[in-house]
Amino acid sequence: MTRRPASVRIVATGGTIAGAAPSPRDTSGYRAGALPAAALLADLPLQDDIRLDARQLASLDSKDALPELWQMLARELAQAQSDPGVDGVVLTHGTDTLEETAWFLHLTLALAKPLVITGAMRPATAISADGPMNLLQAVQVAACPWAARHGVVAVLNGRVHHARHLRKAHTHRVDAFDSGEAGAAGFVQDGYVGWLSPPRRRPLRFPPDTPLAPVDILFDYPGISTSMVDAVLRAGARGLVWAGYGNGSISGRIEPLLREAGRRGLAIVRATRTGAGRVAHPGTGDFIQAAGLDPYKARIALMLALGAGTPPAALQALFDTLSYE
Ligand code: ASP
């Protein structure tokens, strides 16, 4: 029996992978999102066992992506999940906020089929552009049904990363993405998809239409001004992620302000600015501990949790669970 080719849908949103510069020498003076999806697919050297169709949902530089884009993508991608003509989806996206979009989608979509996000560090017009190989390898992962068991994954520079651990860790190298201490979830080599980690458990999910509560992030630093913190506390967000020192420590001058804001009802999550490691302060009830989530992922988790009406007493357990998503 011959199998029908796998149908992979490309959902394009812009980014450097669709960027164009005046010269092939330019790797930073370009316009992101300048080229349509059709141009990215035109010369892709696909095998016969994969068919593509493409939808252009946005043409953005992802520095301008807003939470409304995440929600719009979640609706579109939920629809693709239930489309019998689609076996897997590749989302093309700018790299600047790719990790936020991937994490939001991971937390909101039930995946029966692979969802792979990719981008590029060099514009499509550059000599040695990385976009075509990233796109080809993302398509190869999206055509592999096993990938759905890993939740949302990113494919960049030959490696597969879980949305849970993915982060942009360099300003310009093509090898800009990593998964921190967790390490990559897998790799792609000439169409072979190799997995280095077990599938994700994914015990917790929010509905894609969950309203998003406003949440800010503040970073601690020596000499941080109390009036700046005060201004943020009064600005009306429902939650705050405090990216503190080390194990989430808070400058002594600031801690009373935060405790007071917490008593008035602001949900405050203590994360770390170190870039790695778990934040845990057992027995200190005034703050929620981010556990293993970095400040950016903690913010999205808190936006969803507050928007979904999670009671304050349940927030710590939720962060502990999401740490293992
Ligand atoms: N500023 C670009 C973007 O995020 C960077 C990239 O895609 O690499 O859209």
Side-chain angles (χ1 to χ4, degrees):
M1 196 179 84
T2 49
R3 277 185 69 227
R4 72 168 174 83
S7 297
V8 175
R9 172 161 301 163
I10 309 293
V11 174
T13 66
T16 296
I17 192 167
S23 152
R25 282 186 303 274
D26 265 343
T27 59
S28 42
Y30 60 88
R31 188 159 70 82
L35 304 175
L40 310 188
L41 303 183
D43 296 320
L44 210 62
L46 272 188
Q47 315 94 286
D48 292 341
D49 57 351
I50 300 180
R51 296 272 179 280
L52 298 182
D53 75 290
R55 299 203 174 171
Q56 188 82 43
L57 280 204
S59 296
L60 277 180
D61 186 316
S62 78
K63 71 181 171 58
D64 299 320
L66 296 174
E68 290 75 17
L69 176 80
W70 307 338
Q71 292 172 311
M72 190 259 273
L73 288 174
R75 282 192 295 274
E76 170 77 17
L77 296 167
Q79 192 267 326
Q81 285 290 318
S82 54
D83 183 336
V86 175
D87 297 313
V89 178
V90 171
L91 179 64
T92 61
H93 196 286
T95 61
D96 284 345
T97 61
L98 192 147
E99 68 204 69
E100 273 100 338
T101 299
W103 178 234
F104 178 83
L105 295 173
H106 182 77
L107 291 184
T108 53
L109 291 178
L111 295 190
K113 302 163 186 174
L115 173 52
V116 182
I117 183 164
T118 193
M121 294 300 292
R122 293 181 181 152
T125 48
I127 184 171
S128 291
D130 52 331
M133 184 59 96
N134 283 348
L135 184 55
L136 177 67
Q137 293 185 329
V139 166
Q140 289 166 335
V141 175
C144 161
W146 183 259
R149 305 185 57 173
H150 288 263
V152 176
V153 293
V155 172
L156 294 139
N157 202 39
R159 284 184 294 191
V160 185
H161 302 277
H162 286 143
R164 163 68 187 85
H165 296 291
L166 175 73
R167 57 182 196 175
K168 187 172 185 180
H170 199 274
T171 55
H172 63 269
R173 280 199 322 236
V174 293
D175 195 17
F177 283 83
D178 69 31
S179 289
E181 288 183 313
F187 63 91
V188 195
Q189 179 194 24
D190 292 344
Y192 174 84
V193 182
W195 295 100
L196 302 169
S197 83
R200 310 299 299 173
R201 281 192 310 129
R202 306 194 73 209
L204 212 149
R205 218 162 1 257
F206 298 93
D209 56 356
T210 303
L212 288 171
V215 173
D216 290 315
I217 304 177
L218 279 175
F219 282 75
D220 215 334
Y221 47 87
I224 184 169
S225 109
T226 51
S227 52
M228 196 264 297
V229 174
D230 250 334
V232 172
L233 293 178
R234 286 173 206 288
R238 289 185 54 204
L240 175 71
V241 174
W242 187 260
Y245 304 117
N247 185 20
S249 312
I250 304 168
S251 290
R253 290 175 306 117
I254 303 295
E255 194 163 332
L257 298 180
L258 298 189
R259 286 197 192 276
E260 175 54 27
R263 279 193 282 273
R264 288 200 310 267
L266 186 71
I268 302 177
V269 173
R270 182 157 40 180
T272 179
R273 63 174 209 167
T274 62
R278 180 179 158 79
V279 172
H281 286 267
T284 53
D286 285 348
F287 303 115
I288 303 144
Q289 322 306 327
L293 299 186
D294 69 26
Y296 319 108
K297 291 186 176 72
R299 171 178 176 251
I300 292 173
L302 191 58
M303 291 169 88
L304 282 162
L306 295 176
T310 309
L315 286 170
Q316 185 60 64
L318 182 132
F319 273 83
D320 292 338
T321 305
L322 288 181
S323 242
Y324 296 102
E325 267 281 301

